[in-house]
Amino acid sequence: MQIREKLEVFRDFTIDVAKEKSSQLIAQYEQASQQELEEYRKNRQAELEHRIQLEEQKVRRQLNSKVSGELLRQKHMLDECKRQWKDKLQQQVKQLLKEYQSTQEYQDFLKAKIHMALELAGKESVIIYINPSDADRKEELERETGAKLTISSIEFGGGIRAVIHSRNMLMDESFASRLEQEEIYL
């Protein structure tokens, strides 16, 4: 074999070794690049999911804030409607009471409550108060019931109040106290 042939064999051999080495390096580079790409994709995906979660939380907070604000606004509206309704109802009830107080039925109601107070007191002394607006009925009521009546210095909307001192007892049959009781339930 001549030098040329030997050089050719050597050259082919070194080229083959270089190609093989080059192929190995390229394969290693491709594998490393593929791993880096996968790692980048995973990191990017995790980052995007994190951003989406943060954005979703932000949107939920904004939505909850708007919902709670709307609920509060509606509650205020409902409370205002209830207040207006109560006021209107109270005005109507007061008007109906005023009309009722000008009837004979109211006169009979007062007599019945006075008799009830006298019966409750029995032989003990009792002070029976009538509303200042019923002052014009005092004499007639005293005549018809036989009770001594006192005109109250406090307006209580009609009806009577009776005090039995010996028992420390107050009989309150006034319209004001009944309206207060009913107002609790409204």
Side-chain angles (χ1 to χ4, degrees):
M1 233 196 224
Q2 300 207 356
I3 290 200
R4 241 182 214 283
E5 289 175 355
K6 285 183 184 179
L7 278 175
E8 189 130 343
V9 168
F10 179 71
R11 186 177 77 81
D12 289 341
F13 176 74
T14 53
I15 288 177
D16 286 343
V17 169
K19 281 183 182 179
E20 190 177 313
K21 193 73 163 167
S22 172
S23 294
Q24 286 176 353
L25 287 173
I26 289 173
Q28 286 176 353
Y29 177 75
E30 284 179 351
Q31 188 179 6
S33 294
Q34 191 65 30
Q35 285 178 344
E36 281 184 32
L37 180 62
E38 282 300 315
E39 202 172 301
Y40 174 78
R41 283 182 181 163
K42 285 180 185 176
N43 288 341
R44 196 71 179 135
Q45 183 68 27
E47 186 180 310
L48 287 173
E49 287 175 5
H50 182 68
R51 279 186 186 173
I52 288 170
Q53 287 176 346
L54 289 176
E55 193 62 31
E56 186 178 314
Q57 288 174 353
K58 179 182 173 185
V59 168
R60 284 181 193 263
R61 279 194 302 272
Q62 289 173 345
L63 182 63
N64 286 343
S65 175
K66 286 182 181 180
V67 166
S68 63
E70 182 62 22
L71 284 173
L72 189 61
R73 187 185 70 77
Q74 288 180 2
K75 186 180 181 323
H76 286 304
M77 281 178 46
L78 181 63
D79 289 345
E80 180 61 23
C81 287
K82 280 182 180 180
R83 188 193 59 74
Q84 288 175 0
W85 179 78
K86 268 178 143 177
D87 290 347
K88 187 175 181 180
L89 182 64
Q90 284 177 344
Q91 288 174 355
Q92 288 177 346
V93 166
K94 286 178 182 176
Q95 180 61 34
L96 289 172
L97 277 175
K98 197 173 197 178
E99 290 171 11
Y100 173 69
Q101 287 174 331
S102 64
T103 65
Q104 182 60 39
E105 291 170 341
Y106 177 64
Q107 183 84 7
D108 296 339
F109 170 80
L110 289 175
K111 285 188 240 177
K113 294 303 175 182
I114 292 168
H115 284 298
M116 192 168 100
L118 291 172
E119 188 177 307
L120 184 65
K123 295 182 181 182
E124 298 177 32
S125 70
V126 61
I127 302 172
I128 301 173
Y129 293 96
I130 61 172
N131 200 51
S133 63
D134 296 326
D136 58 332
R137 300 172 191 246
K138 180 181 180 222
E139 289 179 20
E140 184 181 346
L141 287 171
E142 285 178 333
R143 204 172 348 108
E144 291 180 6
T145 61
K148 172 142 176 46
L149 302 178
T150 305
I151 298 172
S152 175
S153 60
I154 300 169
E155 176 72 34
F156 51 83
I160 69 158
R161 287 184 176 163
V163 177
I164 305 171
H165 286 292
S166 61
R167 294 188 199 167
N168 288 330
M169 181 185 248
L170 170 66
M171 180 181 145
D172 190 352
E173 292 292 327
S174 67
F175 292 159
S177 63
R178 287 190 180 184
L179 285 175
E180 286 175 17
Q181 289 172 352
E182 291 301 320
E183 190 174 310
I184 292 171
Y185 298 112
L186 289 179

